[in-house]
Structure formats: C-alpha cells, structure tokens
C-alpha cells in the first residue's frame, strides 16, 4: 500500500514567529534536519516517491525541493493512503517509519496534542475532504489579516474528522510519546539535543545517509557546496594541533567532505556528537562542544566558542560566544558578543558585540511577546528570537526573550523593546518604518553576494509583510 505524506501547517504557525513570518512550520529545523528533510529521506521507501506540501500560498513558490509538490484537487487513483503530518512534529526517522508502516495497514487514525492535530492517516476521499477544509482555513487567514498582522487572531484549524469515527491513539501517545512536537518557538532549543542524537544515528547507520540541503527560499546563481551530496564519516585523525576531548563518552565527531580544522581547535564530545557538514572551515583556536551541528559551507572564525545544543544552517559565518542556539541559513555573526538560547532566521547580520541576555536576574520564568501580547514561556532560559533579513548595529544589546521581526534594523542607544515588529528602522518605540523598496534593495545585494537571487516570490512576501507594519 503506497503511503503519500502530506506536510501541513495550521493555526499554531503564530507560535513560531518571528521566524514563521517567512518560513512554513515544516521548515523550522530542530536538530540536524527539519521535518521536510526527515520525511524526504524516507520517500521511495517508507513513503511514495513524492510527497505533498501544504503551506500559505504566499510561501508556496519559495519551496525549492522537487520531491515535494502541491496536493492536487483530486487525490489520484489506485490504492493509497495519505499520512498528514503537522509541521511542528519533530519525530525522528524511525518514528516516522513506524507511522508510515501503520498507515500502510489501511488504518484510519489520528494523533493530537493540546494544540491541535499532529498526524492523520486517511483514505483518498478523506484526504480530499481534509484538503478542502484546509484551503478554507487558509482563506480565513487572509480574511482575518493574520498573514501579516501580529495582533490579528489566527483562525483555528480543527478538522471535523477528529471528532468522528477514526481511531485516536492512546493518551500516552497523544502526549507525544511516539510523535514529539514543539509547541512554541522557545521549544526549539530544548528539543535540539535529542533530535541531534537521533539524526546523527540515522545519518551514519549502515553505509550512511547521502543527503543534499535544499534550503527553503534559496535560489542559487552558482553551484554551492550544500547542493552536493553529503555523507558523514567519523573523524579518525583530527590533525596536528587539534584536540579531541570526551572520547570515552562514546560520542563522535562526524564530518563531510572538505572539512578543515585549524590548529589549537578543541572538539569536546563529552555530551554529544559534533557534526561538521561538507566544506565547513574552522579557523585556529576554536572550541566546539557537542551536541552540535554546523551546516555545509559554514565558517567558524578564529577564537570562537560554540557550546552544545546548537544547530547552524548552511553557509553561516560565526564567531564570538554562542550557546544553545539555532541559526537559519546564510546568517552572519562574525564578531565578538554572546548569543544564547536564541532562534534566529536566515539572511541576518549581527553587528560586532551584539549580545543578548538569556536568563533573568531573579532566575524566574521568562515572558515573551511574539506580537500578540506577552506569554509565559515557562522556561528559565530564552534568548533572542529574530526573523529573516533582520540586522543589528555594533554594540546592540537585547533583553531576555526579545523578539525582532522580519527585515527590521536595530540601531541606536539603549535596549530595544522586548517585542519589535516587522520592518522597523531603529527598533525603539516610535521609530519610523523601513521602506519596503529599500529593504528589498538591501536583500537583493545581500543575497547576490552569496551567489543567490531574490525572486518575484520573495518580493511578493516582502510587500505582504510590510503592509500594516507599525
């Protein structure tokens, strides 16, 4: 029985702002891979040859992976099942394989948590009805202004079938036992260590996983290292002047082709694997601590200290002190300054000495405002949360749990407010807006410098998000 995976986002997308303003939930990386990549590795084996991909219409043209297509209005002929998977699911490959096998047994079932549906196994006609229901929900997003206005309520997507005759998995499973999921953007970092451990095991089992990176929204003008096939191998000879620590833990340093390590570099695997994808360059006198993944083509500058529970996308340029953080693709933090417990988007640039707090002086839980009002995160550590194309000036300081929106520029004296919206010029209360044409011109320059192009789809997204910014 062929099982077709359908990745979808729903009303919980607002909980992953500011990153999700320009990124579907299924593209948010927790660990080494995002959900699209994990399920994509199983296409042609556990799942059908191609998967189906549901996201906001304004983002759909930015999906770059040819293995994923928009669902047709009719689900198709022949014997098949459809496995709908929420974008906030962070299940590992083995858990996804088990869900696929269960769906192939012609069983209609669903798994949900307190926030909404996680997995739904359905027949073709049921998938068709779900798709129609989802399309109506997406139309409601635009009508409510929720595509670009933080204060606008996001309509809830609650498929009628969840109250119907389908089999609900056990309460233990519904709590996330077989299908872990993130609830809010500040759950990304705490979920990273376990996800990295699962991903590295899968990537190196047997003959090893050969994979390519196809970053969302990245259209290249030149051939880049992350577009080549990567296979990770254990580092057996660190090289002259490179120190490998914590080998007794059983964890490893895993490297792709063309990785270079400068003398005086310390690789500490006491608490988890260190994964350096193809073409990663580590300059002299750096300290890298696992669990850690640094994406293909990235550069770690001399003297950097990168602590564990961190994951970096492709072609990052990183330096200074970074701990327990997730960066997107083509992100720049090339100078001193501390960033911790942060989730940052792509195409950002942090000026020299940019620093964030990730712990309150009273050690209490941190409240975070993603644009719709402050929410108690329930967490003791939350750092900077920053959307795509945002930038900071030299010496910028951020308070604990600060959220910075899409294409915003932070500069000037004093800490900015704890919630800074999209397209802000300066970041202080009452600052002017960053003109969308100026923002587009800057983005075009930045992307071309990295061998990428800004498309009409990018421009449409910029203009949509610039509306009603205040």
């Amino acid at each position: 029985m062929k099982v077709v995976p359908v990745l979808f986002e729903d009303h919980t997308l607002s909980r992953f702002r500011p990153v999700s303003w320009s990124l579907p939930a299924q593209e948010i990386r927790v660990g080494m891979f995002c959900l699209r990549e994990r399920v994509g590795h199983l296409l042609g084996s556990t799942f059908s040859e191609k998967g189906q991909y549901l996201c906001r219409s304004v983002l759909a043209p930015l999906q770059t992976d040819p293995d994923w297509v928009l669902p047709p209005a009719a689900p198709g002929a022949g014997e098949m099942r459809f496995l709908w998977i929420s974008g906030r699911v962070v299940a590992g490959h083995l858990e996804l394989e088990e869900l696929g096998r269960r769906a192939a047994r012609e069983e209609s079932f669903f798994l949900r948590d307190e926030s909404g549906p996680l997995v739904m196994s359905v027949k073709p006609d049921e998938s068709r009805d779900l798709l129609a229901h989802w399309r109506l929900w997406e139309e409601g997003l635009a009508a409510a202004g929720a595509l670009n206005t933080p204060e606008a309520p996001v309509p809830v997507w609650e498929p009628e079938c969840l109250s119907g005759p389908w089999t609900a998995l056990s309460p233990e499973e519904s709590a996330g036992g077989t299908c872990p999921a993130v609830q809010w953007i500040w759950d990304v970092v705490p979920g990273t260590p376990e996800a990295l451990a699962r991903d590295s095991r899968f990537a190196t089992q047997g003959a090893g996983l050969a994979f390519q990176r196809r970053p969302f929204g990245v259209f290249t003008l030149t051939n880049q290292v992350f577009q080549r096939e990567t296979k990770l191998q254990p580092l057996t000879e660190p090289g002259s002047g490179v120190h490998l620590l914590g080998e007794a833990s059983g964890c490893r340093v895993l490297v792709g082709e063309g990785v270079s390590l400068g003398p005086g570099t310390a690789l500490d695997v006491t608490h988890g694997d260190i994964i350096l994808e193809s073409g990663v360059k580590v300059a002299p006198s750096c300290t890298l601590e696992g669990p850690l993944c640094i994406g293909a083509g990235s550069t770690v500058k001399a003297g950097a200290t990168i602590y564990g529970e961190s994951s970096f996308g492709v072609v990052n340029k990183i330096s200074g002190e970074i701990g327990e953080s997730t960066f997107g693709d083509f992100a720049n933090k090339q100078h001193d300054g501390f960033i911790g417990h942060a989730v940052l988007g792509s195409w950002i640039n942090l000026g020299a000495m940019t620093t964030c707090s990730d712990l309150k002086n009273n050690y209490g839980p941190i409240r975070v405002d993603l644009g719709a009002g402050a929410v108690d995160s329930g967490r003791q550590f939350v750092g900077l949360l920053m959307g795509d194309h945002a930038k900071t000036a030299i010496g910028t300081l951020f308070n604990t749990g600060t959220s910075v929106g899409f294409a915003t520029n932070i500069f000037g004296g004093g800490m900015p407010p704890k919630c800074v919206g999209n397209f802000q010029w300066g970041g202080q209360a009452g600052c002017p807006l960053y003109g969308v044409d100026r923002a587009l011109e800057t983005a075009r320059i930045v992307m071309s410098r990295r061998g990428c192009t800004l498309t009409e789809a990018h421009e449409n997204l910029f203009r949509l998000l610039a509306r009603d910014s205040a």
Side-chain angles (χ1 to χ4, degrees), residues 162-289:
L162 298 188
S163 59
W166 296 3
T167 301
L169 301 190
S170 69
E172 291 77 15
E173 292 170 320
S174 297
T178 63
C179 194
V182 287
Q183 304 288 338
W184 294 85
I185 189 169
W186 48 77
D187 296 328
V188 168
V189 169
T192 294
E194 184 177 349
L196 276 177
R198 292 193 303 258
D199 289 338
S200 65
R201 285 195 298 268
F202 182 82
T204 55
Q205 69 180 7
L209 170 69
F211 63 91
Q212 289 175 282
R213 295 293 194 182
R214 298 186 176 109
F216 183 85
V218 174
F219 299 89
T220 59
L221 299 168
T222 58
N223 183 39
Q224 303 210 22
V225 64
F226 64 84
Q227 294 175 303
R228 305 171 203 160
E229 198 169 75
T230 292
K231 186 176 286 190
L232 298 173
Q233 301 290 338
L235 180 69
T236 55
E237 297 181 5
S240 177
V242 176
H243 308 283
L244 182 56
L245 311 174
E247 293 176 275
S249 68
C251 297
R252 305 162 293 172
V253 178
L254 304 171
V255 297
E257 183 180 358
V259 169
S260 66
L261 300 170
T265 292
L267 306 171
D268 186 351
V269 295
T270 301
H271 302 295
D273 291 348
I274 294 175
I275 302 161
L276 306 176
E277 295 182 19
S278 296
V280 170
K281 309 298 183 187
V282 181
S285 302
C286 294
T287 299
L288 307 183
E289 178 186 272

Side-chain angles (χ1 to χ4, degrees), residues 28-214:
I28 295 176
R29 190 178 68 258
V30 182
M32 187 176 172
F33 302 112
C34 66
L35 177 67
R36 170 183 54 82
E37 292 172 314
R38 290 191 183 99
V39 179
H41 299 151
L42 304 176
L43 292 177
S45 55
T46 301
F47 298 110
S48 56
E49 294 293 330
K50 287 188 178 292
Q52 298 183 0
Y53 194 97
L54 273 178
C55 67
R56 286 155 281 173
S57 295
V58 70
L59 299 182
L62 297 172
Q63 206 288 101
T64 58
D65 191 334
D67 291 335
W68 295 90
V69 298
L70 291 172
E79 292 187 356
M80 62 180 66
R81 301 285 301 181
F82 291 81
L83 187 67
W84 285 57
I85 309 173
S86 167
R88 59 192 179 86
V89 165
V90 294
H93 296 82
L94 297 180
E95 294 158 318
L96 291 168
E97 285 178 330
E98 175 56 32
L99 287 168
R101 285 192 291 267
R102 183 167 184 169
R105 295 197 293 265
E106 301 186 52
E107 180 182 1
S108 290
F109 65 86
F110 69 87
L111 171 65
R112 61 164 301 139
D113 61 13
E114 65 271 20
S115 299
L118 293 175
V119 177
M120 295 173 287
S121 170
V122 297
K123 297 180 291 188
D125 59 332
E126 294 168 329
S127 187
R128 180 197 60 223
D129 293 343
L130 275 178
L131 177 60
H133 195 268
W134 190 94
R135 293 290 188 203
L136 287 174
W137 168 80
E138 193 213 359
E139 291 175 9
L141 279 180
L147 289 174
N148 64 332
T149 309
E151 300 84 2
V154 178
V156 173
W157 188 56
E158 185 72 11
E160 296 176 359
C161 55
L162 298 188
S163 59
W166 296 3
T167 301
L169 301 190
S170 69
E172 291 77 15
E173 292 170 320
S174 297
T178 63
C179 194
V182 287
Q183 304 288 338
W184 294 85
I185 189 169
W186 48 77
D187 296 328
V188 168
V189 169
T192 294
E194 184 177 349
L196 276 177
R198 292 193 303 258
D199 289 338
S200 65
R201 285 195 298 268
F202 182 82
T204 55
Q205 69 180 7
L209 170 69
F211 63 91
Q212 289 175 282
R213 295 293 194 182
R214 298 186 176 109

Side-chain angles (χ1 to χ4, degrees), residues 455-467:
T455 67
E456 182 180 358
H458 287 113
E459 181 171 343
N460 292 338
L461 174 62
F462 269 71
R463 295 194 182 281
L464 172 68
L465 294 177
R467 295 178 202 164

Side-chain angles (χ1 to χ4, degrees), residues 308-332:
E309 302 185 22
S310 293
S311 175
F312 299 86
V314 303
V315 199
N316 274 219
K317 296 183 178 181
I318 49 183
S319 188
E321 183 182 8
I322 306 174
E324 298 89 11
S325 295
T326 294
F327 283 36
D329 302 303
F330 295 92
N332 276 356

